[in-house]
Amino acid sequence: MKYALVTGGSRGIGRAVCVKLACMGYYVIVNCVNNLPEALKTLELVRRAGQDGEIMMFDVSNGEQVRKTIEEWQDAHPGCYIEVLVNNAGIRRDNILALMPQEDWNQVLDITLKGFYNVTQLLLPSMMRRKYGRIVNMASVSGLSGIQGQTNYSAAKGGLIAATKALAKEVACKNITVNAVAPGFIKTDMVEGLDEEALRKTIPANRFGTPEEVAEVVGFLVSNVAGYITGDVISICGGLYT
Ligand code: NAP
């Protein structure tokens, strides 16, 4: 059995990634923080794709919760290890910095950066022992270019990209790849409330992307043929950021 964990797998991009990984033969561990009904729908899609999986609830930004949950899983599955980790959980709390409450700054950075640390740090030792692992971090074009009204989100995703590059160098000799994908506007709950008609005029491809288009790239990075790609960032943005 090959195990994969997708944080924020209950909805949007994370859900599409779970289904893609199931199609690739993985047993998929679907993480979410609140939305159990949506996580159950993802699990159903994983099963329809012909694989099994389970739900693992934790808040990625809560180190104690993450440790307890993952250690319990590891104790219950001796001899098994999670070889694919997709750090996908994320939120946005947009505002100009001059008006941004501290809580919105902290929450966005905590979920993205502490979340990356909390989960990755726990799963790395077993990947290193087995000399195989695939880590994909869900960044954003906001972390590459910086977007006004998203200083917190740009900082978080830019930090995640830098962490991707640093960790890739640390673990490349253990046959573990660490990459990031940087979506532009993707049709999920996260972009609800945005003016799609106006925004798509700023996108060379003239449309928002789909979660499945992002999941295809994650699937490629996770696959065996991508073993020589590490520390890289792949944009999926219809030409928005080049
Ligand atoms: P979404 O539809 O809003 O889904 C967010 C997911 O993250 C949900 O599964 C949610 O779980 C989970 N989550 C939120 N906070 C969490 C926490 N503290 N611990 C664990 N899970 C948590 O968002 P999405 O558009 O699919 O975004 C997925 C990733 O892609 C994010 O990192 C986002 O920043 C990035 N991204 C998205 C876009 C876009 O245009 N959509 C563009 C660039 C990058 P619950 O269901 O339990 O709430």
Side-chain angles (χ1 to χ4, degrees):
M1 189 88 84
K2 298 190 302 175
Y3 295 91
L5 168 61
V6 181
T7 69
S10 48
R11 293 183 283 128
I13 295 171
R15 168 178 288 167
V17 169
C18 288
V19 174
K20 176 68 194 173
L21 293 174
C23 292
M24 292 171 72
Y26 281 96
Y27 178 100
V28 184
I29 303 169
V30 182
N31 159 256
C32 71
V33 61
N34 288 316
N35 211 328
L36 186 58
E38 291 300 314
L40 285 166
K41 278 188 208 162
T42 300
L43 189 56
E44 177 55 31
L45 292 172
V46 163
R47 289 185 173 139
R48 270 194 235 157
Q51 293 298 322
D52 204 0
E54 67 189 276
I55 291 165
M56 191 185 270
M57 282 185 88
F58 56 73
D59 175 348
V60 292
S61 67
N62 182 330
E64 270 316 295
Q65 221 179 77
V66 175
R67 176 171 298 279
K68 190 170 172 294
T69 314
I70 289 185
E71 284 181 354
E72 272 172 17
W73 187 92
Q74 286 170 332
D75 290 346
H77 296 80
C80 301
Y81 88 111
I82 296 170
E83 67 174 46
V84 169
L85 167 62
V86 182
N87 285 306
N88 166 78
I91 59 164
R92 68 180 180 91
R93 295 283 180 272
D94 298 351
N95 210 332
I96 57 168
L97 190 70
L99 298 178
M100 186 178 290
Q102 171 108 53
E103 198 192 330
D104 288 358
W105 175 268
N106 288 347
Q107 264 200 329
V108 169
L109 268 90
D110 283 357
I111 290 175
T112 299
L113 291 178
K114 272 194 199 160
F116 160 79
Y117 169 83
N118 289 338
V119 183
T120 309
Q121 207 263 346
L122 273 173
L123 298 189
L124 261 181
S126 52
M127 290 184 190
M128 291 169 86
R129 270 196 304 278
R130 305 294 186 107
K131 294 196 170 46
Y132 185 85
R134 293 279 189 265
I135 299 170
V136 180
N137 297 320
M138 199 55 67
S140 164
V141 289
S142 187
L144 289 167
S145 66
I147 293 182
Q148 64 271 44
Q150 288 201 317
T151 303
N152 50 356
Y153 190 79
S154 297
K157 297 299 191 183
L160 186 62
I161 289 168
T164 299
K165 290 172 182 286
L167 180 61
K169 288 177 183 166
E170 280 182 21
V171 298
C173 63
K174 300 285 185 192
N175 200 24
I176 300 168
T177 66
V178 190
N179 290 290
V181 293
F185 292 104
I186 307 297
K187 262 185 175 297
T188 68
D189 294 348
M190 186 173 273
V191 298
E192 246 172 43
L194 298 184
D195 184 347
E196 186 173 343
E197 272 315 292
L199 283 169
R200 72 185 178 84
K201 294 193 183 97
T202 68
I203 305 168
N206 197 31
R207 67 174 177 88
F208 281 15
T210 66
E212 289 72 24
E213 286 172 316
V214 180
E216 283 300 320
V217 179
V218 175
F220 169 68
L221 289 171
V222 159
S223 71
N224 278 323
V225 294
Y228 201 53
I229 302 173
T230 196
D232 235 316
V233 189
I234 301 182
S235 300
I236 310 158
C237 62
L240 185 63
Y241 176 82
T242 56

